[in-house]
C-alpha cells in the first residue's frame, strides 16, 4: 500500500512540475517578442508575469535600462520568442484580440541586447517586505486596513489612511484631511466621515494587466442611526445594516436631479454578509455612475465601492474577498511604506493620516523631466501627518526606491548635486542629509525668522523628507528627533 502511495505521489509531482512548459526568452535566433508591460519592482513584475502564464501566455521578465530615455531601470514583461516580424505582428494581434488588450508593442532582441536575463541576484537585492515593528497608531486603523480585499491581479495605486478625532465635536489638528484628493462617492463629505467613523481608509486599486481601477472605502462606524421603513430584502436581523447604508445612499441621490436614478437593495457574501444599496445615477446624457454602499451584519463597518470600468459582477467578485485575509498589509507596496511610521510616537504627537501614491509621468513633467524625476516614475511616494498641540502639524514623505543601490544613485548621485539656496548638509541617522530653510514672518513677535522647511536624507531603499507645514514651528532639533523616530534604523539592521 505504501509503495502504491509513493508511485501515486511521484506521478502527481511529475504532472504538476514536469509538465510545466519552459519559457524561452527571445534571442538572436528568434529576435522578436511582445512587450506587455513594465514595472519598477521585481515582485510586481513577477506577479503580473505569473498571471500571464496562468492565462497561457508565454511570459517572462528581463531588466533593462534604456540609456536614450534616461529614466532608469525597469523590469519588462515580454511574451514569446518569434523568428520573423510578420509572425510577431500576428502574435501581437492574436493576444490583443483574445485578451482584449490594447497597444502592445513588438520589440527586438537587438534593442534589449544589454538587458539582464538572469534575475535571481536582482530579486535578492529587493526586500519583499521590510523588517520593522508595528506602527504606533490605534488598533481601529489596523482593523479597517485588514478588511480590504486581496488579489494578485490588483496593485495599490493610491491609498488614504485616516485617523479620526476621539471627540467628533473637536476636529482640531485634522484639517489636513480636507486637502486630500479622495475619490469618495458624491454627496459623502469628509466631515461626515470624521464624525461617523473612528478610522477610515480609501484604496484605489489598479488592475496590473488591464489598467482599470476600482475604488473601495472602508470605515469603522462610530454610531448607529435611527430606524426607517422596512424593505423587501430587509429582515429583523439585517434591518439596522440597511438603515445605515440607506442614509449614505440617499446622500448620493440628493446631490442633484438626474434623468435616471435607482436605489436597489443588494447583498454581498464576504467574511460576513454585507447589506446595502446599489445606487445608479445619470450625471450627464448616457453617462452612468454606480456606487455600492454596504454595511456588515454587525453594523461595525461601512463600505463604499465604485468602478467606471469593471462590470458589476467583477466588482462583486472583488468585494466578496473583503475581510478574508490581512487586507492592505498583504500588499508589499503599501506595507513597505506604512511600516516606516514610528512604533513609539514622540512628544504626545497625534497620528492624523497617511497617503501613498504610485508616481506617474505627470510627476516628471511637473519637474521639467530632469533625470532624477524620470527615474522616480513607477515608484511609490508616501506621506504621513502628525499633530502636536504646541507646535502644529508636521509631515514626513518617503520615496520607496526598492533597493539601496537605486536610492543612492538617485539621491546622492543626482538629487544631492542640484544646487539651491538655503540648503545645507546635516547628519541624520548617521547619513548625509540636507536641511532647507525659508524666511517666515511671525506676527506675534513682529519679525522674520529663518524657519526650517524640511530635513531630507537617503537611507537604505528610501528617500525621506521631514517637513514643517505652513503654520507649524518645529525647530531643527525637534524635526531631527521626529526623523530619527521613523523606523529606518530597524529596516537597515
Amino acid at each position: 500500500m505504501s509503495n502504491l502511495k509513493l508511485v501515486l505521489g511521484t506521478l502527481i509531482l511529475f504532472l504538476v512540475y514536469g509538465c510545466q512548459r519552459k519559457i524561452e526568452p527571445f534571442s538572436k535566433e528568434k529576435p522578436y517578442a511582445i512587450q506587455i508591460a513594465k514595472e519598477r519592482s521585481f515582485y510586481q513584475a513577477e506577479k503580473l508575469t505569473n498571471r500571464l502564464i496562468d492565462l497561457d501566455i508565454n511570459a517572462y521578465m528581463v531588466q533593462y535600462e534604456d540609456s536614450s530615455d534616461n529614466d532608469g531601470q525597469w523590469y519588462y514583461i515580454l511574451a514569446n520568442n518569434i523568428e520573423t516580424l510578420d509572425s510577431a505582428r500576428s502574435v501581437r494581434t492574436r493576444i490583443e484580440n483574445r485578451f482584449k488588450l490594447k497597444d502592445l508593442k513588438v520589440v527586438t532582441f537587438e534593442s534589449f541586447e544589454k538587458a539582464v536575463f538572469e534575475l535571481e541576484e536582482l530579486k535578492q537585492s529587493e526586500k519583499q517586505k521590510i523588517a520593522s515593528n508595528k506602527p504606533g497608531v490605534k488598533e481601529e486603523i489596523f482593523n479597517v486596513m485588514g478588511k480590504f480585499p486581496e488579489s494578485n491581479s490588483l496593485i495599490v495605486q493610491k491609498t488614504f489612511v485616516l485617523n479620526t478625532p476621539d471627540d467628533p465635536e473637536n476636529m482640531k489638528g485634522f484639517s489636513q484631511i480636507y486637502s486630500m484628493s479622495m475619490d469618495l462617492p458624491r454627496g459623502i463629505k469628509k466631515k461626515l466621515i470624521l464624525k461617523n467613523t473612528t478610522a477610515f481608509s480609501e484604496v484605489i486599486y489598479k488592475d496590473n494587466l488591464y489598467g482599470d481601477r476600482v475604488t473601495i472605502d472602508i470605515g469603522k462606524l462610530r454610531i448607529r442611526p435611527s430606524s426607517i421603513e422596512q424593505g423587501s430584502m430587509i429582515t429583523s436581523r439585517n434591518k439596522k445594516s440597511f438603515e445605515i447604508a440607506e442614509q449614505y445612499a440617499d446622500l448620493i441621490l440628493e446631490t442633484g436631479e438626474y434623468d435616471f436614478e435607482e436605489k436597489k437593495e443588494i447583498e454581498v457574501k464576504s467574511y460576513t454578509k454585507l447589506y446595502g444599496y446599489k445606487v445608479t445615477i445619470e450625471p450627464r446624457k448616457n453617462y452612468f455612475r454606480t456606487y455600492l454602499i454596504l454595511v456588515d451584519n454587525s453594523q461595525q463597518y461601512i463600505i463604499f465601492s465604485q468602478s467606471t470600468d469593471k462590470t458589476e459582477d467583477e466588482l462583486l467578485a472583488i468585494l466578496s474577498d473583503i475581510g478574508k485575509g490581512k487586507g492592505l498589509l498583504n500588499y508589499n507596496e503599501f506595507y513597505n511604506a506604512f511600516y516606516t511610521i514610528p512604533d513609539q510616537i514622540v512628544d504626545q504627537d497625534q497620528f492624523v493620516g497617511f497617503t501613498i501614491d504610485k508616481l506617474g509621468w505627470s510627476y516628471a513633467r511637473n519637474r521639467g523631466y530632469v533625470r532624477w524625476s524620470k527615474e522616480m516614475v513607477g515608484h511609490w511616494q508616501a506621506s504621513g501627518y502628525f499633530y502636536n498641540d504646541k507646535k502644529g502639524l508636521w509631515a514626513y514623505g518617503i520615496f520607496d526606491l526598492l533597493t539601496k543601490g537605486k536610492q543612492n544613485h538617485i539621491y546622492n548621485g543626482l538629487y544631492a548635486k542640484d544646487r539651491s539656496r538655503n540648503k545645507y548638509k546635516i547628519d541624520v541617522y548617521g547619513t548625509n542629509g540636507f536641511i532647507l530653510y525659508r524666511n517666515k514672518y511671525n506676527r506675534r513677535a513682529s519679525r522674520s525668522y529663518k524657519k526650517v522647511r524640511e530635513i531630507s536624507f537617503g537611507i537604505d531603499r528610501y528617500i525621506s523628507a521631514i517637513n514643517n507645514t505652513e503654520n507649524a514651528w518645529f525647530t531643527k532639533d525637534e524635526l531631527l528627533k521626529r526623523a530619527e523616530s521613523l523606523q529606518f534604523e530597524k529596516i537597515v539592521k
Side-chain angles (χ1 to χ4, degrees):
M1 186 68 174
S2 59
N3 288 336
L4 179 59
K5 288 183 178 179
L6 179 62
V7 171
L8 289 173
T10 303
L11 179 60
I12 291 171
L13 286 173
F14 174 77
L15 290 173
V16 172
Y17 296 105
C19 293
Q20 287 184 343
R21 65 184 183 278
K22 183 178 180 180
I23 299 171
E24 295 288 344
F26 62 169
S27 61
K28 289 182 178 180
E29 292 71 32
K30 295 183 178 180
Y32 296 98
I34 313 301
Q35 180 182 321
I36 295 179
K38 62 180 182 179
E39 288 286 348
R40 292 289 192 187
S41 166
F42 174 91
Y43 294 103
Q44 294 294 341
E46 183 181 56
K47 185 187 293 187
L48 176 53
T49 301
N50 289 337
R51 181 183 179 186
L52 292 168
I53 291 172
D54 288 342
L55 293 173
D56 203 28
I57 294 175
N58 293 326
Y60 51 93
M61 297 159 50
V62 301
Q63 189 198 59
Y64 180 63
E65 179 175 358
D66 188 345
S67 58
S68 63
D69 287 338
N70 285 326
D71 61 355
Q73 295 174 339
W74 294 84
Y75 289 98
Y76 286 78
I77 297 94
L78 308 177
N80 296 85
N81 49 31
I82 308 164
E83 292 186 13
T84 67
L85 179 59
D86 286 343
S87 296
R89 288 170 175 167
S90 177
V91 171
R92 178 188 61 186
T93 301
R94 188 164 66 247
I95 293 176
E96 286 180 335
N97 291 341
R98 180 181 176 187
F99 298 101
K100 297 180 180 179
L101 297 170
K102 296 179 179 179
D103 302 322
L104 300 185
K105 296 180 181 178
V106 173
V107 294
T108 65
F109 180 77
E110 182 181 7
S111 61
F112 280 81
E113 200 162 11
K114 294 182 180 180
V116 179
F117 287 76
E118 298 297 329
L119 302 179
E120 190 59 33
E121 287 187 12
L122 297 175
K123 175 182 179 180
Q124 293 173 2
S125 69
E126 180 186 333
K127 296 176 185 175
Q128 190 165 12
K129 277 193 174 181
I130 62 172
S132 63
N133 294 336
K134 187 176 181 180
V137 302
K138 67 186 185 184
E139 196 61 29
E140 288 96 328
I141 291 171
F142 287 98
N143 293 338
V144 167
M145 294 191 303
K147 288 292 182 289
F148 281 88
E150 301 169 23
S151 171
N152 287 330
S153 301
L154 301 174
I155 61 172
V156 173
Q157 183 75 14
K158 199 169 189 176
T159 303
F160 302 87
V161 177
L162 310 182
N163 191 8
T164 64
D166 293 334
D167 178 2
E169 301 302 320
N170 181 8
M171 300 277 184
K172 185 179 180 182
F174 288 83
S175 59
Q176 179 64 31
I177 289 174
Y178 292 103
S179 66
M180 296 179 180
S181 301
M182 299 175 68
D183 191 25
L184 293 168
R186 57 180 67 199
I188 297 176
K189 307 298 184 183
K190 292 171 188 170
K191 185 175 183 179
L192 182 68
I193 295 301
L194 294 178
K195 181 179 179 181
N196 287 359
T197 68
T198 59
F200 190 86
S201 185
E202 175 177 284
V203 178
I204 301 175
Y205 295 100
K206 183 178 179 181
D207 189 290
N208 61 8
L209 179 58
Y210 294 98
D212 50 342
R213 300 187 182 193
V214 175
T215 300
I216 298 176
D217 300 89
I218 301 179
K220 184 79 164 56
L221 286 167
R222 193 192 299 269
I223 58 174
R224 300 174 185 176
S226 57
S227 62
I228 57 174
E229 185 178 352
Q230 186 168 311
S232 59
M233 287 181 65
I234 302 174
T235 69
S236 59
R237 298 183 66 181
N238 61 33
K239 182 179 178 182
K240 288 184 178 179
S241 298
F242 275 106
E243 289 172 358
I244 298 171
E246 186 158 32
Q247 287 198 350
Y248 289 91
D250 288 343
L251 288 172
I252 298 173
L253 294 174
E254 290 168 5
T255 56
E257 294 184 4
Y258 305 105
D259 290 339
F260 179 85
E261 296 182 354
E262 183 181 66
K263 182 176 68 177
K264 183 179 179 182
E265 294 162 8
I266 192 169
E267 175 184 317
V268 176
K269 294 180 181 179
S270 62
Y271 75 105
T272 186
K273 286 188 177 180
L274 307 174
Y275 303 101
Y277 295 88
K278 181 179 79 169
V279 178
T280 305
I281 57 176
E282 188 180 9
R284 59 179 185 268
K285 191 68 174 178
N286 296 323
Y287 174 76
F288 296 88
R289 291 301 303 268
T290 298
Y291 304 94
L292 300 184
I293 314 296
L294 301 164
V295 175
D296 68 310
N297 61 358
S298 59
Q299 300 91 52
Q300 293 188 70
Y301 295 94
I302 181 79
I303 299 160
F304 312 134
S305 185
Q306 57 178 303
S307 174
T308 56
D309 301 299
K310 295 289 187 187
T311 66
E312 183 177 335
D313 287 343
E314 288 172 332
L315 187 55
L316 290 174
I318 293 171
L319 295 176
S320 68
D321 285 330
I322 282 178
K324 292 183 177 179
K326 294 183 179 179
L328 276 176
L329 300 185
N330 263 354
Y331 288 89
N332 301 332
E333 59 271 31
F334 175 81
Y335 183 99
N336 291 331
F338 191 78
Y339 266 62
T340 61
I341 290 177
D343 54 345
Q344 301 292 327
I345 307 297
V346 302
D347 296 340
Q348 297 182 327
D349 290 350
Q350 184 175 20
F351 173 71
V352 174
F354 187 85
T355 68
I356 180 172
D357 189 12
K358 189 178 184 184
L359 297 176
W361 283 104
S362 61
Y363 176 86
R365 183 178 65 247
N366 292 337
R367 287 153 183 81
Y369 290 108
V370 293
R371 181 172 177 178
W372 66 264
S373 69
K374 291 198 290 184
E375 294 205 27
M376 300 290 272
V377 173
H379 295 98
W380 276 267
Q381 174 188 28
S383 299
Y385 301 92
F386 297 82
Y387 180 75
N388 182 283
D389 277 337
K390 296 179 180 179
K391 293 286 186 172
L393 185 78
W394 66 274
Y396 84 97
I398 61 169
F399 296 94
D400 184 356
L401 281 305
L402 302 170
T403 68
K404 183 177 181 179
K406 194 178 293 184
Q407 175 273 121
N408 184 60
H409 165 65
I410 293 178
Y411 186 73
N412 295 319
L414 299 176
Y415 171 77
K417 294 179 180 178
D418 280 357
R419 294 182 178 182
S420 62
R421 295 178 60 187
N422 293 324
K423 178 179 176 182
Y424 307 92
K425 288 186 177 181
I426 190 173
D427 182 273
V428 190
Y429 269 120
T431 67
N432 292 323
F434 293 94
I435 182 168
L436 280 74
Y437 292 92
R438 64 180 172 184
N439 293 324
K440 183 74 175 177
Y441 184 75
N442 188 318
R443 291 183 179 179
R444 291 182 181 179
S446 299
R447 57 171 290 188
S448 293
Y449 289 87
K450 207 171 191 180
K451 176 182 173 180
V452 179
R453 177 184 169 190
E454 76 172 31
I455 295 173
S456 70
F457 57 99
I459 187 167
D460 198 69
R461 62 194 280 168
Y462 301 99
I463 296 173
S464 182
I466 317 300
N467 302 84
N468 262 316
T469 57
E470 182 65 26
N471 297 314
W473 286 91
F474 292 92
T475 66
K476 178 185 80 172
D477 290 341
E478 288 168 337
L479 283 182
L480 269 176
K481 182 179 182 180
R482 283 155 176 82
E484 294 183 346
S485 74
L486 300 170
Q487 296 201 60
F488 298 125
E489 187 175 4
K490 298 180 181 66
I491 294 165
V492 171
K493 290 180 179 179

